[in-house]
Amino acid sequence: MATYTLVTPTLEQGPLGGHRLFTHFKQRTKSYTIILSGGVYSLIQFPSEDELVEYTAYYMGGCQHTGITEAIRTAMIADGIVTSANFTVE
């Protein structure tokens, strides 16, 4: 059975207007942490250490996670939080 490397989803955030004052703000990439709670995968953006203890599993945003099994990959895609583009075969 193949294993995969997971790259967590990201969101590009930047200025919301065209006014000259907005030119001082830079575009930023924010990452999401994937959590497993109650058998369902979901996304959160700013987890605390206290919250992470409560989840069955988590994959921190901004990181590459290796050793993801086919079952985990299928469950994440089925829950609609990632696509197959987030995974590469190891």
Side-chain angles (χ1 to χ4, degrees), residues 34-43 57-59 71-73 75-77 79-81:
I34 299 172
I35 58 167
L36 175 61
S37 181
V40 178
Y41 285 97
S42 56
L43 299 172
Y58 62 89
Y59 303 91
I72 293 172
R73 177 183 181 265
M76 285 183 184
I77 293 172
D79 286 340
I81 59 164

Side-chain angles (χ1 to χ4, degrees), residues 6-9 31-37 40-45 47 52 55 57-61 65 72 76 81-82 86-87:
L6 166 66
V7 177
T8 55
S31 58
Y32 286 99
T33 296
I34 299 172
I35 58 167
L36 175 61
S37 181
V40 178
Y41 285 97
S42 56
L43 299 172
I44 58 174
Q45 206 168 30
L52 292 177
Y55 302 126
Y58 62 89
Y59 303 91
M60 291 300 293
H65 301 276
I72 293 172
M76 285 183 184
I81 59 164
V82 293
N86 293 91
F87 297 92

Side-chain angles (χ1 to χ4, degrees), residues 1 3-4 8-9 15 22-24 31 35 39 42 44 47 54-55 63-64 67-68 71 73 82 86 88 90:
M1 184 177 264
T3 58
Y4 298 89
T8 55
F22 289 110
T23 60
H24 297 289
S31 58
I35 58 167
S42 56
I44 58 174
E54 299 173 6
Y55 302 126
C63 301
Q64 292 186 358
I68 304 297
R73 177 183 181 265
V82 293
N86 293 91
T88 54
E90 293 181 339

